[in-house]
Amino acid sequence: MDLQKYFKTKKEMIDGMLEKHFQVPSESPFAEIYDAMRYTLFPGGKRIRSILTLAAADALGKDNNTVLPIACALEAIHTYSLIHDDLPALDNDDTRRGMPSNHIKFGEDIAILAGDGLLTLAFEFLSNIETQNGDSAILLEAIYELARAAGPRGMVGGQACEVRKRKEKECELPVLQFLHIHKTGMLIRAALTIPAKLLKASNKEYEAFKSYGENLGLAFQIVDDIQDAQKGKKENFSFPSVMSLDECKARAIELKDKALSQLSIFDKKAEPLRHIATFVVERMHAKNPN
Ligand code: FPP
Ligand code: MG
């Protein structure tokens, strides 16, 4: 299959829906906060989390439109995490995707609020009864799953543990894995499990998605670490700080294979999920990764 074409089609669907949520007249008192949120949301990055959500719906043979609010919610949360991660109190990064970071462009005060706004909007998208006219008990489970993945026992918790651990010089592999699984893996896992919940996947399908997401999520962060190391960035809390680059690459491939093996219960409708796992890990060989 043509993965680039698949990505383009899905990105258009996601961006089309996001655009609808982010239209605010320039004379509105909320124009500035919307500008700041839009700045990091558009054109955005690879949209990998939201595309995984649509690919999960495809694997189940279900309509993508049903899960578009999940896709938008994930992009909103991911974008908030990047804005806050770049702040002086955290990573203190002046650039993001080759552009000035949100706080450089809008100031720390508005950047903090832009992150808060995006986080809150994610739950507005997912809980909007008008777009989700299905079973409200299932919707509640989906919202719970997102909250767990993003919150203090998920992404925020992973980030908070990393902040504390940074005070120590060295980090052992089990600790590093724990940080990666929470900081990055939980949201990627949620990109699979939330659509599984909402689309009433069987237990077997849900468990397969969960395990695919966990393995891919960890592989994703290892590849991100490898790319940083290849750009010459030395991070204490990264896989290349505890093992050689070749060992990191072998670990990423092992995780990808584990992710792929989970998809054996699905037919060819899961081809996009299979190709995405390969794409994520192949990026570690790219000359100019993004
Ligand atoms: C790059 O994603 C981002 C990561 C690998 C995740 C790093 C984790 C955080 C920033 C969590 C921080 C948490 C808080 C609460 C501040 P990507 O390659 O998909 O980026 P893209 O959107 O540019 O493609
Ligand atoms: Mg960072």
Side-chain angles (χ1 to χ4, degrees), residues 160-172:
C161 291
E162 187 177 309
V163 165
R164 273 294 152 258
K165 285 275 167 196
R166 270 184 203 161
K167 305 242 176 321
E168 296 166 21
K169 280 227 163 57
E170 281 175 16
C171 184
E172 296 196 333

Side-chain angles (χ1 to χ4, degrees), residues 164-231:
R164 273 294 152 258
K165 285 275 167 196
R166 270 184 203 161
K167 305 242 176 321
E168 296 166 21
K169 280 227 163 57
E170 281 175 16
C171 184
E172 296 196 333
L173 184 61
V175 176
L176 189 62
Q177 273 204 174
F178 176 88
L179 299 179
H180 278 24
I181 285 168
H182 288 82
K183 181 180 86 166
T184 306
M186 291 289 272
L187 205 57
I188 291 180
R189 187 179 94 171
L192 281 302
T193 56
I194 302 176
K197 279 262 182 261
L198 214 59
L199 296 172
K200 302 184 185 173
S202 68
N203 276 348
K204 212 168 132 193
E205 288 165 335
Y206 177 89
E207 289 302 323
F209 276 163
K210 186 168 135 185
S211 181
Y212 166 91
E214 279 170 3
N215 285 293
L216 188 67
L218 184 54
F220 189 90
Q221 183 61 57
I222 296 175
V223 171
D224 200 71
D225 283 358
I226 294 171
Q227 290 177 328
D228 278 349
Q230 284 168 341
K231 284 185 225 157

Side-chain angles (χ1 to χ4, degrees), residues 22 30-43 79 83-84 86-88 93-97 99-115 118:
F22 285 86
F30 306 122
E32 188 181 7
I33 186 70
Y34 269 85
D35 268 357
M37 293 189 294
R38 287 189 63 98
Y39 176 75
T40 308
L41 195 62
F42 297 104
T79 307
I83 295 174
H84 281 190
D86 289 338
L87 286 167
D93 261 325
D94 286 356
T95 58
R96 164 75 53 190
R97 302 179 184 131
M99 302 268 287
S101 307
N102 199 287
H103 65 277
I104 297 295
K105 177 93 177 155
F106 294 93
E108 272 183 61
D109 44 9
I110 293 294
I112 290 169
L113 295 169
L118 284 159

Side-chain angles (χ1 to χ4, degrees), residues 70-81:
I70 306 170
C72 292
L74 289 166
E75 284 305 324
I77 291 188
H78 169 58
T79 307
Y80 123 71
S81 80

